[in-house]
């Protein structure tokens, strides 16, 4: 099984390398055109081009790595039980987007709120919060919400968790307030994950939080009200293909045998489509539905969902993991591209190393790291969807709350440089290809620089500093800077500008613990 998996991975990696190589040429050309149109600066253009050429290779490499990883992951997951390669083949990495798709995403009025929002709260919550990473005394490796699969728990056993699920400390107001304090503009919660358990009242399946638990409440209804109050866009994750509770759903091979012998269309007809109809009709306007792991999906199956979403909620976004073309693309989990990527896209990310709660995962990302990632992603043109995994009592772990609120404090001061901001017109700040270090295939490694990042708004540049130099120097800016100040204290900064070089003098001490942002007002150029 190992061998055949490895072989099929290798084959598709080779194929994808070829496709990626073809696409990258186009992507780079287009990215150059996009940016050139916005700024009319020959110097900047030259910079960009040099930078893009230098990084083309790095991109290609990253794509191949991402593809290989996605391939391996998908194949491992699917192949574990059945010796079958995963279906469908993994999507190419998001950096290989075609110019047509990028333009379609960007010009879609439906995605406007999303492009401006930049930062959302992901919540993975379900029955898996009860075992919290431990089954029958054994710590089960991997992500918490996969415990049923990783421990091969029979449906009859796993189902019994429902009778114990009573998250009496759940408070929708507190969760929505946390998202607001954190500066997050949307909230995406698991309405049904791969375990098949619906976290909402469902007519289509009794295996749901209202009908099958002592809790009897519908937390998604409560969240609807709490989010609406605060202007937070409510979004639902829905696992449309994997459903380990259903004989014909994808993924549960330990109870129901190989996926290729299932009547997958019957599962779609009896459960997935009716439940998606329920979430689209019972919870007011949704920001999006976040589909996932499109095993066994194909264009025609995806189309049934797309049609339903468009009919019932024309403004509701569809993410990139349905199985057809979505309104935007997701990167691989926790994967941030090296460069600016055109179009609309999102990085789904964990705050520790799991999505669903695991009692012993304390590997928290720190606020400085999260601020860096948020800014890094925004400066490349994407969104950051950061996850928390609440406990079986309905509590979001205190460390995640504290971390999110620290980042929220930073955003209160510096939010204008993030929300609604566009990507950098430069690129040299992302780093460069190593002159000495090579990867296993002999390709130079991309060495990320982390000193500064840039976001933009019309007539403005925002320089995010992650270290604190005496002065900040920027090459290649031809527009005339009329004003410079730190968002943290609004005090004017001294600067000089000559021959395309800007130098901004900085005070002795940074104004805060986390990144400091210089706002530059620029005339004569629209960054
Ligand atoms: C999926 C789920 O299986 C997982 O439980 C979690 O919900 C996560 C957000 O999404 O896992 C994936 C899906 C796609 C990739 C990686 C993990 N990918 O494309 O790299």
């Amino acid at each position: 099984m190992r061998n055949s998996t490895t072989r099929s991975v290798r084959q598709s990696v080779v194929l994808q390398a070829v496709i990626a190589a073809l696409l990258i040429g186009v992507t780079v050309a287009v990215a150059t055109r996009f940016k050139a149109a916005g700024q009319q600066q020959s110097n900047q253009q030259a910079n960009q081009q040099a930078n893009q050429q230098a990084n083309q290779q790095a991109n290609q490499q990253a794509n191949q790595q991402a593809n290989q990883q996605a391939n391996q992951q998908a194949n491992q997951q699917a192949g574990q039980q059945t010796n079958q390669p995963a279906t469908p083949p993994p999507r190419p990495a998001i950096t290989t987007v075609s110019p047509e798709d990028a333009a379609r995403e960007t010009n879609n009025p439906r995605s406007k709120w999303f492009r401006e929002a930049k930062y959302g709260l992901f919540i993975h919550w379900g029955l898996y919060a009860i075992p919290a990473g431990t089954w029958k005394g054994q710590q089960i490796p991997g992500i918490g919400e996969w415990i049923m699969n990783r421990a091969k728990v029979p449906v009859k056993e796993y189902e019994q968790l429902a009778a114990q699920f009573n998250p009496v400390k759940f408070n929708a107001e507190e969760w929505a307030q946390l998202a607001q304090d954190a500066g997050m503009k949307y909230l995406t919660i698991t309405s049904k994950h791969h375990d098949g358990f619906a976290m909402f009242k469902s007519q289509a399946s009794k295996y749901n939080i209202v009908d099958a638990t002592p809790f009897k409440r519908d937390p998604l209804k409560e969240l609807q009200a709490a989010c609406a109050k605060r202007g937070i866009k409510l979004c639902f994750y829905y696992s449309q293909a994997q459903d380990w509770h259903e004989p014909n759903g994808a993924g549960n091979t330990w109870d129901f045998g190989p996926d290729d012998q299932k009547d997958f269309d019957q599962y779609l007809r009896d459960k997935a489509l009716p439940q998606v109809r329920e979430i689209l009709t019972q919870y007011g306007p949704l920001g999006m539905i976040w589909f996932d792991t499109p095993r066994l999906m194909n264009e025609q199956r995806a189309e049934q969902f797309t049609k339903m979403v468009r009919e019932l909620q024309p403004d509701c976004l569809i993410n990139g993991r349905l199985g057809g073309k979505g309104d935007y693309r997701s990167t691989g989990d926790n994967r941030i591209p090296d460069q600016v990527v055109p179009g609309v896209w999102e990085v789904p990310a964990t705050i520790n190393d799991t999505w669903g709660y695991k009692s012993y995962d304390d590997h928290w990302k720190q606020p400085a790291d999260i601020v860096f990632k948020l800014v890094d992603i925004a400066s490349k043109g994407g969104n950051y969807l950061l996850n928390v995994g609440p406990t079986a009592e309905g509590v979001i772990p205190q460390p995640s709350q504290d971390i999110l609120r620290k980042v929220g404090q930073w955003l209160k001061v510096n939010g204008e440089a993030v929300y609604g901001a566009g990507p950098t017109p430069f690129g040299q700040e992302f780093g460069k290809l190593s002159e000495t270090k090579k990867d296993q295939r002999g390709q130079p490694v991309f060495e990320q620089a982390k000193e500064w990042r840039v976001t933009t708004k019309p007539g403005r540049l925002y320089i995010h500093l992650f270290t604190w130099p005496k002065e900040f120097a920027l090459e290649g800016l031809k527009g005339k800077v009329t004003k410079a100040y730190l968002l943290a204290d609004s005090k004017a900064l001294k600067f000089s500008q000559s021959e395309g070089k800007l130098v901004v003098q900085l005070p002795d001490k940074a104004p805060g613990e986390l990144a400091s942002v210089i706002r530059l007002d620029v005339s004569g150029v629209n960054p």
Side-chain angles (χ1 to χ4, degrees), residues 78 95 117 150 169 171 207 210 233 245 266 377 410 485:
T95 40
R150 294 299 300 263
K169 293 190 180 158
N171 183 330
Y207 194 47
V210 176
K233 287 265 189 191
H245 186 256
Q266 187 184 337
I377 292 165
W410 181 86
Y485 65 91

Side-chain angles (χ1 to χ4, degrees), residues 137-197:
Q138 295 284 320
Q139 292 195 351
I140 307 298
I143 39 185
E145 73 284 4
W146 271 72
I147 194 166
M148 179 180 178
N149 184 302
R150 294 299 300 263
K152 301 298 175 243
V153 183
V155 168
K156 283 283 159 281
E157 250 181 75
Y158 189 86
E159 266 181 350
Q160 289 168 25
L161 292 171
Q164 299 170 46
F165 195 63
N166 197 13
V168 288
K169 293 190 180 158
F170 169 72
N171 183 330
E173 291 287 323
E174 285 174 16
W175 287 18
Q177 190 56 45
L178 172 65
Q180 188 167 44
D181 293 347
M184 292 158 146
K185 305 293 187 185
Y186 57 110
L187 184 158
T188 308
I189 183 166
T190 46
S191 65
K192 187 203 81 169
H193 205 267
H194 309 332
D195 68 358
F197 185 74

Side-chain angles (χ1 to χ4, degrees), residues 192 194 237-243 250 264 267-268 272-273 276 290-295 297 305 321-323:
K192 187 203 81 169
H194 309 332
Y237 172 110
Y238 188 89
S239 176
Q240 80 283 16
Q242 290 203 73
D243 190 316
F264 185 62
Y267 155 74
L268 294 182
L273 285 160
V276 169
W290 214 99
F291 296 102
D292 203 4
T293 62
R295 285 189 204 173
M297 295 296 288
F305 288 93
R321 292 183 183 176
L322 172 59

Side-chain angles (χ1 to χ4, degrees), residues 310-363:
R310 299 300 186 228
E311 266 171 28
L312 295 171
Q313 290 211 27
D315 292 336
C316 178
L317 287 168
I318 296 174
N319 77 326
R321 292 183 183 176
L322 172 59
K325 266 181 192 160
D327 292 315
Y328 74 93
R329 290 155 291 134
S330 296
T331 65
D333 299 357
N334 291 303
R335 287 195 65 92
I336 301 174
D338 289 333
Q339 301 290 329
V340 172
V341 173
V344 183
W345 52 276
E346 178 183 58
V347 179
T350 52
I351 194 165
N352 47 1
D353 294 324
T354 182
W355 307 92
Y357 178 66
K358 276 176 92 172
S359 62
Y360 49 92
D361 183 342
D362 292 320
H363 195 214

Side-chain angles (χ1 to χ4, degrees), residues 216-484:
K216 293 190 166 61
R217 280 156 56 189
D218 181 339
L220 303 195
K221 262 271 148 218
E222 295 174 26
L223 278 168
Q224 179 199 348
C227 286
K229 240 194 222 177
R230 294 166 177 82
I232 293 169
K233 287 265 189 191
L234 179 65
C235 310
F236 290 150
Y237 172 110
Y238 188 89
S239 176
Q240 80 283 16
Q242 290 203 73
D243 190 316
W244 305 329
H245 186 256
E246 307 304 324
N248 290 310
N252 184 341
T253 48
W254 56 100
D255 281 299
F256 305 123
D259 281 353
D260 60 7
Q261 279 156 44
K262 291 172 180 171
D263 187 349
F264 185 62
D265 286 304
Q266 187 184 337
Y267 155 74
L268 294 182
R269 219 167 32 241
D270 291 350
K271 185 169 179 183
L273 285 160
Q275 285 197 330
V276 169
R277 179 178 293 277
E278 289 174 338
I279 58 178
L280 281 164
T281 50
Q282 308 292 311
Y283 299 88
L286 298 182
M288 84 167 73
I289 301 190
W290 214 99
F291 296 102
D292 203 4
T293 62
R295 285 189 204 173
L296 302 183
M297 295 296 288
N298 54 36
E299 289 286 337
Q300 170 235 322
R301 285 165 176 163
E303 182 52 31
Q304 298 175 58
F305 288 93
T306 306
K307 193 161 161 270
M308 185 181 281
V309 177
R310 299 300 186 228
E311 266 171 28
L312 295 171
Q313 290 211 27
D315 292 336
C316 178
L317 287 168
I318 296 174
N319 77 326
R321 292 183 183 176
L322 172 59
K325 266 181 192 160
D327 292 315
Y328 74 93
R329 290 155 291 134
S330 296
T331 65
D333 299 357
N334 291 303
R335 287 195 65 92
I336 301 174
D338 289 333
Q339 301 290 329
V340 172
V341 173
V344 183
W345 52 276
E346 178 183 58
V347 179
T350 52
I351 194 165
N352 47 1
D353 294 324
T354 182
W355 307 92
Y357 178 66
K358 276 176 92 172
S359 62
Y360 49 92
D361 183 342
D362 292 320
H363 195 214
W364 308 107
K365 294 176 183 70
Q366 293 308 300
D369 187 21
I370 290 172
V371 167
F372 177 78
K373 287 183 160 80
L374 173 61
V375 171
D376 188 32
I377 292 165
S379 80
K380 291 166 180 170
N383 279 27
Y384 191 25
L385 180 62
L386 183 58
N387 181 77
V388 297
T391 67
E393 286 189 301
V395 175
I396 296 174
Q398 196 59 46
S400 4
Q401 292 198 37
D402 296 344
I403 294 161
L404 291 184
R405 287 202 169 89
K406 279 239 168 68
V407 177
Q409 286 301 318
W410 181 86
L411 277 163
K412 283 220 172 66
V413 176
N414 300 288
E416 74 159 89
V418 174
Y419 306 120
T424 181
F426 307 106
Q428 65 265 36
E429 68 272 30
F430 294 138
K432 56 175 172 32
L433 291 173
S434 170
E435 282 163 18
T436 48
K437 284 193 213 131
K438 309 240 155 105
D439 66 14
Q440 304 103 305
R441 285 185 302 278
Q443 301 296 317
V445 179
F446 186 78
E447 286 178 331
Q448 184 179 233
K450 300 182 83 165
E451 286 78 31
W452 55 287
R453 290 290 184 266
V454 181
T455 55
T456 51
K457 280 188 180 167
R460 289 176 203 171
L461 284 175
Y462 297 98
I463 314 289
H464 305 246
L465 297 175
F466 301 95
T467 59
W468 193 248
K470 280 226 157 318
E471 54 180 41
F472 174 75
L474 178 62
E475 304 261 2
L477 174 73
K478 273 285 183 69
K480 189 170 149 35
V481 175
T482 56
K483 200 171 163 192

Side-chain angles (χ1 to χ4, degrees), residues 40-248:
Q40 313 108 11
Q41 294 287 315
S42 61
N43 212 357
Q44 278 178 348
Q45 277 179 21
N47 253 343
Q48 281 167 13
Q49 270 163 11
N51 186 49
Q52 279 163 1
Q53 271 158 19
N55 291 312
Q56 192 168 348
Q57 223 185 349
N59 252 336
Q60 200 167 334
Q61 231 178 304
N63 287 336
Q64 282 166 9
Q65 274 162 15
N67 284 335
Q68 194 168 15
Q69 249 185 19
N71 258 337
Q72 263 160 7
Q73 231 167 17
N75 279 315
Q76 270 163 17
Q77 283 175 7
Q80 253 161 12
Q81 288 301 305
T82 61
N83 295 343
Q84 305 274 325
T87 50
R91 301 147 295 109
I94 64 157
T95 40
T96 59
V97 66
S98 76
E100 291 76 22
D101 281 346
R104 174 181 56 84
E105 291 167 354
T106 306
N107 300 331
N108 182 354
R110 205 184 278 131
S111 70
K112 185 171 183 287
W113 73 266
F114 182 74
R115 280 184 286 117
E116 289 170 0
K118 292 291 157 206
Y119 191 31
L121 180 64
F122 213 176
I123 303 179
H124 276 68
W125 195 40
L127 296 180
Y128 39 80
I130 300 174
T134 303
W135 195 258
K136 295 188 173 164
Q138 295 284 320
Q139 292 195 351
I140 307 298
I143 39 185
E145 73 284 4
W146 271 72
I147 194 166
M148 179 180 178
N149 184 302
R150 294 299 300 263
K152 301 298 175 243
V153 183
V155 168
K156 283 283 159 281
E157 250 181 75
Y158 189 86
E159 266 181 350
Q160 289 168 25
L161 292 171
Q164 299 170 46
F165 195 63
N166 197 13
V168 288
K169 293 190 180 158
F170 169 72
N171 183 330
E173 291 287 323
E174 285 174 16
W175 287 18
Q177 190 56 45
L178 172 65
Q180 188 167 44
D181 293 347
M184 292 158 146
K185 305 293 187 185
Y186 57 110
L187 184 158
T188 308
I189 183 166
T190 46
S191 65
K192 187 203 81 169
H193 205 267
H194 309 332
D195 68 358
F197 185 74
M199 294 295 284
F200 59 99
K201 164 80 180 166
S202 173
Q203 306 293 336
S205 163
K206 289 283 155 231
Y207 194 47
N208 73 70
I209 189 164
V210 176
D211 293 318
T213 75
F215 189 53
K216 293 190 166 61
R217 280 156 56 189
D218 181 339
L220 303 195
K221 262 271 148 218
E222 295 174 26
L223 278 168
Q224 179 199 348
C227 286
K229 240 194 222 177
R230 294 166 177 82
I232 293 169
K233 287 265 189 191
L234 179 65
C235 310
F236 290 150
Y237 172 110
Y238 188 89
S239 176
Q240 80 283 16
Q242 290 203 73
D243 190 316
W244 305 329
H245 186 256
E246 307 304 324
N248 290 310

